Amino acid sequence: MKKVGFVGWRGMVGSVLMDRMNELNDFDQFESYFFSTSQVGLAAPSYSTDKILKDAMNIDELKAMDIILTCQGGDYTKAVHSALRKSGWSGYWIDAASALRMEETSIIVLDPVNRNVIDEGLDKGIKDFVGGNCTVSLMMMALGGLFKNDAIEWLTSMTYQAASGGGARHMKELLTQMHTIGSNFVNMDQTLSKDIIEVDRIVTNSFRDNSLDTSCFGAPLAGNLIPWIDSAVDAGQTREEWKGISETNKILGRRDNIIPIDGTCVRIGTMRCHSQAFTIKLKRDIPLNEITEMISSHNDWVRIIENSPESTRAHLTPAAVSGTLDIPIGRLRKMNLGGEYLNAFTCGDQLLWGAAEPVRRMLNILIEKSI
């Protein structure tokens, strides 16, 4: 049996990954070894082959693994990956972090969208496989049928991204802000609380008087939004926005015939699940029923949601999707811009299809192929 080492398994993405693998009995298919940067020598999880946590910084211990799957983050990857390769290790590296995504020697994995690219990479001897950006992965799961049929000339993706995209500390900061604002309202006397203009003034003041903890986001998120995610890059984009065009085309294996993609990424005050609004320029005027057939037949998780207020409210929200693998897509309609223009809206759990599930499936591909 293959030896698989896990790093970063206690974090946000790692915890979701472990729960899903344990639920599906994935650990029965290989020997599992758990590594830590801070608790070396303590007890490993019950499903570990070795009951003691190994040192995640020990190159010799890492070299004993056939496959390493890490959710530890980019800093860990930068510190260890190169040194491990230089030591002569020729195993498979699966990474949920972004550090290696755009390297020539890596493939961004999103089975079932790019299984052909993954298989071709394995045949060519590629050893580094990296999970993609969460909104890019969710977009491609929703629009996979249009990409497969080469129906898209260009698109914009306007994202509405949850606090959990930043990690556990960011989620807790949002909850703390919600609590502070809610407490301000609850603590008002009954007469004052009936005056909505005064309530609004007090809430607005709480955004500006530094009473809210904003150490993670840099600004209040509860009752607010932040139209900037990640660092600045060229031409006024953020890195999160740049990933749309760069990662999508790499996932599809399109080097010389890229699909132009752009948009604005916005952080909103939801706990979990990223949503996106698309404006899509099709290569031709495709009837809406053909579009829905392309989309719905692409994979087992995408769901077409009727373009009605009732269905939208019931099925096309973070509250409906959180904790599931469903990828609903709705608000499908032709736009006033012309018959080649399609409007759509999707929502998905970025901790599952946006992070944990692609790397889990990549591990299973390697195990199934007995590589």
Side-chain angles (χ1 to χ4, degrees):
M1 297 179 77
K2 296 297 182 183
K3 293 182 178 180
V4 182
F6 294 91
V7 187
W9 45 277
R10 287 180 309 211
M12 196 83 178
V13 174
S15 296
V16 172
L17 175 64
M18 293 299 104
D19 285 347
R20 182 146 172 78
M21 291 182 66
N22 194 34
E23 175 187 355
L24 297 175
N25 299 315
D26 286 347
F27 293 106
D28 295 344
Q29 308 304 313
F30 47 81
E31 294 181 11
S32 57
Y33 300 86
F34 286 77
F35 291 75
S36 175
T37 58
S38 60
Q39 297 186 354
V40 179
L42 298 184
S46 59
Y47 36 79
S48 175
T49 302
D50 191 335
K51 300 308 177 184
I52 301 297
L53 294 177
K54 294 180 174 295
D55 185 354
M57 304 305 294
N58 187 312
I59 297 299
D60 288 334
E61 289 192 338
L62 292 168
K63 282 177 66 175
M65 301 295 109
D66 299 301
I67 302 167
I68 293 171
L69 194 161
T70 172
C71 302
Q72 184 70 18
D75 289 341
Y76 175 79
T77 299
K78 293 172 184 177
V80 170
H81 177 266
S82 179
L84 187 59
R85 289 296 186 205
K86 288 178 180 177
S87 75
W89 184 68
S90 59
Y92 291 88
W93 180 276
I94 305 175
D95 203 329
S98 64
L100 300 177
R101 279 182 196 155
M102 300 310 296
E103 295 293 330
E104 286 291 327
T105 54
S106 72
I107 287 177
I108 302 176
V109 294
L110 187 58
D111 175 47
V113 172
N114 71 335
R115 178 60 186 267
N116 62 317
V117 175
I118 293 171
D119 289 339
E120 289 171 8
L122 288 170
D123 291 342
K124 293 177 181 178
I126 296 293
K127 296 295 183 75
D128 295 335
F129 297 89
V130 189
N133 171 262
C134 47
T135 51
V136 170
S137 294
L138 293 171
M139 172 187 72
M140 299 193 75
M141 287 295 295
L143 300 177
L146 297 182
F147 285 114
K148 182 178 180 180
N149 286 276
D150 197 22
I152 297 174
E153 182 175 326
W154 57 257
L155 70 84
T156 67
S157 174
M158 305 300 181
T159 74
Y160 308 89
Q161 296 179 225
S164 52
R169 289 178 58 245
H170 293 72
M171 296 175 74
K172 292 174 182 176
E173 181 171 289
L174 173 60
L175 286 171
T176 300
Q177 292 175 3
M178 289 176 172
H179 176 74
T180 299
I181 293 171
S183 295
N184 288 341
F185 174 72
V186 171
N187 292 336
M188 293 179 189
D189 64 57
Q190 190 63 27
T191 301
L192 183 61
S193 67
K194 292 179 180 179
D195 183 351
I196 193 59
I197 299 301
E198 182 62 15
V199 170
D200 179 65
R201 184 189 66 79
I202 291 173
V203 170
T204 299
N205 285 343
S206 70
F207 294 150
R208 301 169 179 169
D209 63 9
N210 297 319
S211 62
L212 300 178
D213 178 13
T214 61
S215 55
C216 289
F217 288 111
L221 188 60
N224 196 26
L225 59 79
I226 306 170
W228 188 284
I229 300 175
D230 211 335
S231 58
V233 295
D234 295 339
Q237 280 190 317
T238 68
R239 182 163 295 277
E240 189 78 1
E241 292 154 2
W242 168 82
K243 291 172 184 176
I245 187 169
S246 58
E247 293 194 19
T248 298
N249 285 284
K250 183 169 183 180
I251 288 169
L252 294 172
R254 300 177 73 117
R255 294 177 178 272
D256 303 319
N257 184 27
I258 67 169
I259 299 172
I261 298 172
D262 209 333
T264 301
C265 293
V266 182
R267 187 77 71 190
I268 64 170
T270 55
M271 287 291 286
R272 185 165 165 173
C273 297
H274 293 346
S275 304
Q276 301 178 71
F278 303 121
T279 298
I280 303 169
K281 172 64 163 61
L282 301 169
K283 290 187 173 181
R284 61 183 177 87
D285 185 356
I286 306 172
L288 201 56
N289 66 315
E290 292 184 23
I291 290 171
T292 58
E293 174 60 24
M294 287 181 188
I295 292 173
S296 63
S297 63
H298 179 262
N299 62 72
D300 293 336
W301 299 273
V302 67
R303 302 280 186 270
I304 300 292
I305 305 303
E306 178 187 359
N307 191 18
S308 69
E310 297 80 12
S311 293
T312 298
R313 292 167 186 153
H315 304 295
L316 200 56
T317 66
V321 176
S322 183
T324 77
L325 290 165
D326 291 345
I327 305 289
I329 180 169
R331 301 310 319 278
L332 288 163
R333 62 179 177 84
K334 292 299 185 73
M335 303 181 73
N336 294 332
L337 301 173
E340 298 86 8
Y341 293 88
L342 177 69
N343 181 84
F345 189 92
T346 189
C347 183
D349 191 323
Q350 90 285 357
L351 294 176
L352 285 166
W353 272 119
E357 189 64 9
V359 295
R360 187 193 77 85
R361 292 174 73 87
M362 186 63 224
L363 174 59
N364 284 340
I365 289 170
L366 294 178
I367 298 301
E368 289 167 8
K369 286 180 171 287
S370 298
I371 289 175

